[in-house]
Amino acid sequence: VREAEGHIRTRMTEVLAISHPVMSAGMGHLAVPSLVAAVSAAGGLGVLATSTLTPDEVRDSIRAVRRLTNAPFGANILLRSDQAAAIAAVVVDERVPVVNLALGIDADLVAEVHRYGGKVVSTVTTVRHASSAAASGVDALIATGHEAGGHGGDISTMVLVPLLVGCVAIPVIAAGGFSDGAGLAAALMLGAQGISMGSRFALSAECPIHPSVRERLLTSGASDTIVTDQIDGLQSRVLRTELAQALAAAHDYAEGRVSPGRDTFAALRRGDLERGVVAIGQVVGMIDDTPTCAEIIRRVVSGARQLIADRAMEFSPPT
Ligand SMILES: Cc1cc2nc3c(=O)[nH]c(=O)nc-3n(C[C@H](O)[C@H](O)[C@H](O)COP(=O)(O)O)c2cc1C
């Protein structure tokens, strides 16, 4: 890591051809073209959500991002979804610069993306998944800790990041629990090459989250989330609402009483917390405003630079 002119350049910024080591998560329902373009135009990597779109909508969204910015951007593909193959075909056809694979591994897709010069970043939550993803040829990993909003694993970011840094040669991007400059500085100290943030960008000026959900999140604390596998069968962290707690307690999913296709996460846009749940991370407790994406990135990068410089002075003051 070296610092230069207000920038922090790392292997993440080199590999992804971006200015700042910060990316936004491909959040279903929220990571729409305006949010993605705002992050990318500010020098980070905006990642488009595709799992809640049809393949045609994915193509339109990719083109919409390109109308808004010339900067590199990414597209998230949930490999577990029924539409994954059709969506991947569109993403490859449109030559999206960075493909973010989650909930699986697909070496053939990695090779296809590399053929047109794209990069692939895999979201992982365990050492085993990280090793398989690295073996499939991806260019970087997003190490997603237990703090993270949405789908996640059991290992905390603090432990997962250095574990993965120690076992793969490709850049590791830390995710789960990041919102500010101290977080980026800490991630870099753990050996990560940058960070990916979901919850922080969910509460940005450009995010199309429903205003009532936004207000609720701005007053939520770090203990106001729960982890359950009863939303869609996979472990995910969501806001502690009455519905979320009832779903978790009912075990309907475990007992096969719920169809996998139900669109529980759509409350993010509709605002009806009686009928849907809100994926969000523990870091919601550290967030109390909705700045623009450019301002978020500026705060995170300049905050990290300042902290790293100040601490170095503090620990070894000039003699
Ligand atoms: C509202 C919301 C929706 C999400 N949707 C997706 C998704 O569609 N695909 C995906 O790979 N991850 C999704 N995630 C998880 C993020 O990729 C990421 O792991 C997480 O936001 C990082 O933790 P943080 O929220 O503490 O920043 C979502 C997260 C949130 C908060």
Side-chain angles (χ1 to χ4, degrees):
V1 177
R2 63 181 195 278
E3 294 183 35
E5 290 166 4
H7 284 67
I8 297 176
R9 304 235 185 252
T10 69
R11 284 163 66 214
M12 173 185 176
T13 60
E14 261 167 52
V15 169
L16 304 183
I18 54 179
S19 303
H20 303 298
V22 176
M23 64 192 282
S24 61
M27 297 177 283
H29 301 285
L30 299 184
V32 297
S34 50
L35 178 67
V36 173
V39 173
S40 285
L45 186 84
V47 176
L48 184 73
T50 67
S51 62
T52 54
L53 306 177
T54 65
D56 281 345
E57 289 169 337
V58 171
R59 194 181 297 276
D60 291 345
S61 298
I62 292 167
R63 292 181 178 180
V65 174
R66 287 202 158 111
R67 279 193 297 274
L68 294 167
T69 181
N70 294 322
F73 65 98
N76 172 258
I77 302 175
L78 285 185
L79 290 171
R80 286 260 192 119
S81 96
D82 300 342
Q83 299 226 79
I87 287 172
V90 171
V91 167
V92 167
D93 191 46
E94 291 288 327
R95 298 173 166 238
V96 172
V98 180
V99 177
N100 167 213
L101 302 180
L103 303 182
I105 286 164
D106 184 341
D108 294 339
L109 180 55
V110 174
E112 273 188 79
V113 174
H114 283 165
R115 228 169 279 137
Y116 69 74
K119 302 288 181 186
V120 183
V121 179
S122 253
T123 300
V124 299
T125 60
T126 64
V127 172
R128 205 169 58 120
H129 187 186
S131 304
S132 320
S136 77
V138 302
D139 303 281
L141 297 179
I142 303 178
T144 305
H146 188 58
E147 298 92 323
H151 296 130
D154 290 325
I155 310 173
S156 70
T157 305
M158 185 67 111
V159 171
L160 185 65
V161 170
L163 269 180
L164 297 198
V165 167
C167 80
V168 297
I170 52 178
V172 172
I173 298 162
F178 297 103
S179 69
D180 60 12
L184 173 56
L188 296 172
M189 292 306 116
L190 293 176
Q193 301 294 317
I195 57 174
S196 173
M197 300 188 289
S199 302
R200 176 64 279 193
F201 286 111
L203 289 164
S204 65
E206 290 91 345
C207 181
I209 194 167
H210 192 278
S212 68
V213 178
R214 177 186 293 133
E215 288 313 309
R216 170 85 175 253
L217 292 176
L218 287 174
T219 57
S220 293
S223 299
D224 291 336
T225 68
I226 60 168
V227 173
T228 176
D229 61 0
Q230 295 301 305
I231 311 291
D232 62 1
L234 299 170
Q235 181 176 316
S236 45
R237 183 179 294 282
V238 298
L239 188 66
R240 184 196 295 277
T241 57
E242 271 180 39
L243 174 66
Q245 286 176 295
L247 290 173
H251 280 275
D252 281 352
Y253 205 96
E255 287 159 25
R257 291 197 291 260
V258 169
S259 80
R262 75 179 168 162
D263 204 3
T264 324
F265 288 110
L268 289 164
R269 296 290 291 278
R270 291 195 309 253
D272 51 353
L273 294 183
E274 285 79 42
R275 295 200 15 242
V277 298
V278 173
I280 203 74
Q282 291 181 333
V283 75
V284 72
M286 292 172 65
I287 299 171
D288 57 11
D289 61 356
T290 53
T292 61
C293 293
E295 172 61 11
I296 290 171
I297 293 173
R298 193 201 62 75
R299 281 185 199 171
V300 167
V301 173
S302 69
R305 295 185 79 235
Q306 190 73 45
L307 270 170
I308 292 167
D310 289 354
R311 285 296 158 98
M313 285 286 285
E314 218 173 283
F315 298 143
S316 46
T319 44

